[in-house]
Amino acid sequence: MSDIAPATDLAPEAARAAPPAPLDRGESLLRRHAATFLRSPSAVVGLVVLVLAVLGSLAAPWIAPQNPYDLTQLDIMDNMLAPGERLAGGTVAYLGTDNQGRDMLSAILYGLRISLGVAAAATIIASIVGASVGVLAAYVGGRVESFVMRVVDLQLSFPAILVALVLLAVFGRGIDKVILALVVVKWAYYARTVRGSALVEKRREYIEAARCLALPRWRVVFRHLLPNCLPPLIVVATVQVANAIALESTLSFLGVGVPVTEPSLGMLIATGYQYLLSGKYWISTFPGVALVVVIVAINLVGDRLRDVLNPRLSK
């Protein structure tokens, strides 16, 4: 008899002796955060509403009954139709029409595109500027940090609407001007948030290790320090998107925001404001409801992200 065991008997032993495959820490952490986020019904509802609003605004040219920016599709005889009445072309105006004959459902979808686009662009630019300034101030320290934070305090001491009104009075109306004004009034929030997080992170061992390796300062700041400051930045950015939408709508309502030819939700509300007392409630009410629903949805998502990404609140 041979003392060598058959290969079939060694295979199970080899399988049991093999070490388990290493877990992807990033993927497992992402799944844990996603599972924690989905435990909140209100956050899930807010996320669904937000996704539907974004998809509806992006697909507006294909799903909207009318292009409110195309003057050839507008008929002055269709102005101020009540919800449910038919346009001259036979299309049903489910939310009515405004004083220019624009279908309110189409105008809301296109208005969402402008409001969400302006807020998203301003948030991205402001977060990049503010995060860079905040992390550099925290890493350098000394007089540079003191100067930057005094500028941030000065910026935050003025009401955002007042600063935006002054800037738009100087630069004029336009989508690009509104984005610039929102960036100017919002960057300080991100700078203060990232600076506070960076002050804690720069005392960690991995930053000391990066310094001991004689890595360039820019690499230590932007490749090691800044990525670990992203969780609070994401929470602030999510909430600030809602604030940017509200601020843009306020500016458009006051007549200093986006041009009349490209109305946002605020401009639609301003258009129908003068007709509220005459019974034409739908011109302002439906855009206002859409604006409130989107802002509440973003805030619900932001509040839940704060609970998920903040380790002090996790259990």
Side-chain angles (χ1 to χ4, degrees):
M1 296 292 292
S2 174
D3 295 334
I4 301 176
T8 55
D9 295 337
L10 292 176
E13 295 294 336
R16 287 193 295 268
L23 296 176
D24 188 345
R25 183 179 178 184
E27 184 179 359
S28 62
L29 183 62
L30 180 61
R31 288 181 178 178
R32 186 177 66 183
H33 286 338
T36 305
F37 181 89
L38 295 176
R39 291 196 194 104
S40 174
S42 60
V44 173
V45 172
L47 181 61
V48 171
V49 171
L50 181 59
V51 170
L52 291 177
V54 173
L55 293 179
S57 63
L58 293 177
W62 297 278
I63 65 175
Q66 177 192 83
N67 185 355
Y69 304 148
D70 188 0
L71 298 180
T72 61
Q73 298 186 20
L74 302 182
D75 190 345
I76 193 64
M77 300 303 295
D78 293 332
N79 66 328
M80 298 187 186
L81 294 179
E85 295 188 14
R86 290 188 176 272
L87 302 175
T91 306
V92 178
Y94 294 101
L95 301 182
T97 61
D98 63 1
N99 59 335
Q100 299 182 22
R102 291 180 297 201
D103 176 60
M104 292 307 303
L105 177 59
S106 304
I108 289 173
L109 291 175
Y110 277 87
L112 274 174
R113 165 181 284 194
I114 294 179
S115 296
L116 291 174
V118 169
T123 300
I124 292 173
I125 299 174
S127 61
I128 293 175
V129 174
S132 301
V133 172
V135 72
L136 286 174
Y139 186 80
V140 175
R143 294 182 179 180
V144 174
E145 181 184 8
S146 299
F147 174 76
V148 170
M149 296 316 298
R150 295 299 77 76
V151 174
V152 169
D153 293 338
L154 181 64
Q155 170 72 49
L156 297 178
S157 64
F158 292 97
I161 183 65
L162 178 61
V163 177
L165 285 173
V166 172
L167 292 175
L168 290 176
V170 175
F171 297 138
R173 302 176 64 176
I175 294 180
D176 55 341
K177 309 298 191 308
V178 175
I179 293 176
L180 177 60
L182 293 178
V183 170
V184 172
V185 301
K186 295 295 182 182
W187 72 271
Y189 293 98
Y190 306 102
R192 171 173 285 184
T193 301
V194 173
R195 180 251 182 183
S197 180
L199 287 176
V200 177
E201 293 295 329
K202 79 173 186 177
R203 298 184 179 92
R204 305 284 188 183
E205 291 79 5
Y206 68 91
I207 297 296
E208 294 295 333
R211 290 172 177 171
C212 294
L213 292 174
L215 296 178
R217 178 174 293 186
W218 66 267
R219 185 172 181 179
V220 176
V221 172
F222 292 103
R223 293 290 300 274
H224 299 278
L225 184 58
L226 182 58
N228 289 279
C229 302
L230 289 182
L233 180 64
I234 293 173
V235 176
V236 173
T238 305
V239 176
Q240 288 301 319
V241 168
N243 293 337
I245 293 175
L247 183 56
E248 182 275 326
S249 300
T250 303
L251 295 172
S252 299
F253 181 83
L254 296 176
V256 295
V258 298
V260 182
T261 56
E262 297 180 355
S264 65
L265 294 179
M267 180 65 68
L268 294 175
I269 297 173
T271 300
Y273 179 74
Q274 56 184 325
Y275 300 105
L276 283 176
L277 297 180
S278 61
K280 308 297 190 297
Y281 65 91
W282 58 86
I283 303 177
S284 284
T285 300
F286 292 133
V289 170
L291 178 64
V292 171
V293 168
V294 170
I295 291 177
V296 170
I298 295 175
N299 284 328
L300 290 175
V301 174
D303 289 343
R304 187 57 179 172
L305 284 177
R306 179 199 61 194
D307 298 339
V308 171
L309 298 178
N310 191 347
R312 296 178 180 176
L313 299 178
S314 61
K315 297 181 181 180

